[in-house]
């Protein structure tokens, strides 16, 4: 079963615009991560935010986390055609002495040149 | 530092057959997790291996099994293949207790069952 739900399911924007995608989850977490996937291949880790953090930046990426609302958002500023991909949130919870990550359903982003 | 390598990249099998997928983990990582990703869906957790033992399992039947070797590489075995097993299978390595780091994923194996 999916822990997270991304919204919107698909997003199409012009190059240079900002892209915002949201993730909602159901249970308490220790951290939340965002991944990018190009053309149905492997996932690339973008950013991790811990449950005691509210905002984190990495280059053109900005992630926020609201644990009271069980939601997170990923903002990509000044988007480029190369940002076209699917984006997934993954929530991490400790289980049996390790961390397992459960992925959401993804947002398909298309950046038009 | 090497990344995660999966083999083969593509595979076509007939319903009822058995398949073995392989994964070599990133140097320094001791935990391997396997995910199944159907077309248009998010990755679904199959199971995780640590110290050569299964360390958690998702909602997959027993015909999905795995192995982890002393060098931390891993195999995913699927018996009695069904058409719905057609998917991208992803392997991810990590370091146990690494709450502050994400997974390193391989490029996946695309399995088609006909």
């Amino acid at each position: 079963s999916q822990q997270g739900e991304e919204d919107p399911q698909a997003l199409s924007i012009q190059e240079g615009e900002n892209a915002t995608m949201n993730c909602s989850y159901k249970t308490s977490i220790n951290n939340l991560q965002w991944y990018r996937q190009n053309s149905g291949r492997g996932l690339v880790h973008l950013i991790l935010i811990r449950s005691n953090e509210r905002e984190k930046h990495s280059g053109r990426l900005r992630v926020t986390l609201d644990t009271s609302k069980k939601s997170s958002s990923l903002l990509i500023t000044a988007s480029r055609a190369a940002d076209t991909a699917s984006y997934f949130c993954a929530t991490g919870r400790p289980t049996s002495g390790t961390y397992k990550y459960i992925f959401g359903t993804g947002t398909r982003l298309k950046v038009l040149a | 530092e090497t990344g995660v390598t999966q083999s083969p990249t593509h595979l076509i099998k007939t319903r009822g057959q058995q398949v073995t997928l392989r994964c070599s983990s990133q140097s320094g990582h001791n935990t391997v997790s396997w995910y199944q990703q159907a077309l248009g869906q998010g990755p679904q957790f199959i199971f995780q291996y640590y110290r050569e033992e299964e360390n958690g399992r998702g909602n997959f039947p027993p015909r999905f099994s795995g192995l982890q070797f002393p060098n931390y590489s891993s195999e995913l075995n699927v018996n009695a293949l069904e058409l719905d097993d057609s998917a991208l299978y992803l392997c991810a390595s990590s370091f146990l207790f690494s709450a502050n780091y994400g997974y390193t994923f391989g490029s996946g194996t695309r399995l088609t069952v006909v």
Side-chain angles (χ1 to χ4, degrees):
Chain A
S1 62
Q2 306 284 165
Q3 155 79 312
E5 294 282 339
E6 282 91 341
D7 170 58
Q9 290 187 336
L11 181 61
S12 185
I13 59 173
Q14 296 292 325
E15 204 167 29
E17 293 182 337
N18 295 342
T20 300
M21 50 204 90
N22 305 295
C23 168
S24 59
Y25 56 92
K26 299 172 184 173
T27 62
S28 62
I29 61 172
N30 282 65
N31 63 60
L32 185 145
Q33 302 176 62
W34 285 89
Y35 287 82
R36 185 186 73 226
Q37 184 178 41
N38 292 86
S39 303
R41 301 307 294 176
L43 283 81
V44 175
H45 179 254
L46 296 176
I47 198 164
L48 180 151
I49 186 166
R50 300 187 192 88
S51 59
N52 62 353
E53 297 175 313
R54 291 296 167 258
E55 188 171 312
K56 205 160 184 181
H57 297 255
S58 177
R60 294 185 294 114
L61 306 180
R62 172 178 168 255
V63 168
T64 61
L65 179 64
D66 187 335
T67 53
S68 66
K69 295 181 179 178
K70 292 186 171 56
S71 68
S72 173
S73 68
L74 170 67
L75 168 67
I76 304 174
T77 60
S79 62
R80 306 165 182 169
D83 294 328
T84 295
S86 291
Y87 292 82
F88 295 90
C89 67
T91 50
R93 301 172 61 199
T95 308
S96 303
T98 186
Y99 280 80
K100 296 183 180 57
Y101 293 101
I102 307 299
F103 286 80
T105 52
T107 292
R108 288 175 293 284
L109 173 66
K110 188 170 185 178
V111 181
L112 304 170
Chain B
E1 176 180 287
T2 59
V4 175
T5 305
Q6 290 187 245
S7 63
T9 55
H10 294 84
L11 200 55
I12 299 175
K13 288 286 190 178
T14 303
R15 188 172 49 183
Q17 285 187 315
Q18 178 265 343
V19 68
T20 297
L21 310 182
R22 294 179 174 83
C23 170
S24 63
S25 59
Q26 179 170 308
S27 176
H29 286 178
N30 58 12
T31 303
V32 175
S33 303
W34 286 92
Y35 286 82
Q36 180 196 64
Q37 186 179 23
L39 200 62
Q41 301 296 315
Q44 297 273 356
F45 175 70
I46 302 175
F47 44 54
Q48 182 183 84
Y49 275 82
Y50 170 64
R51 286 187 175 176
E52 303 174 47
E53 291 190 359
E54 189 177 288
N55 185 37
R57 187 179 187 93
N59 189 26
F60 281 82
R63 60 189 184 84
F64 285 78
S65 63
L67 286 172
Q68 186 184 31
F69 301 99
N71 65 354
Y72 306 124
S73 65
S74 177
E75 287 181 356
L76 164 66
N77 300 289
V78 186
N79 294 321
L81 283 166
E82 301 177 358
L83 296 179
D84 285 348
D85 295 333
S86 295
L88 180 68
Y89 288 85
L90 295 162
C91 166
S93 74
S94 60
F95 187 74
L96 192 67
F97 305 124
S98 60
N100 298 326
Y101 302 97
Y103 283 171
T104 301
F105 277 87
S107 297
T109 294
R110 174 75 63 188
L111 173 64
T112 302
V113 182
V114 297

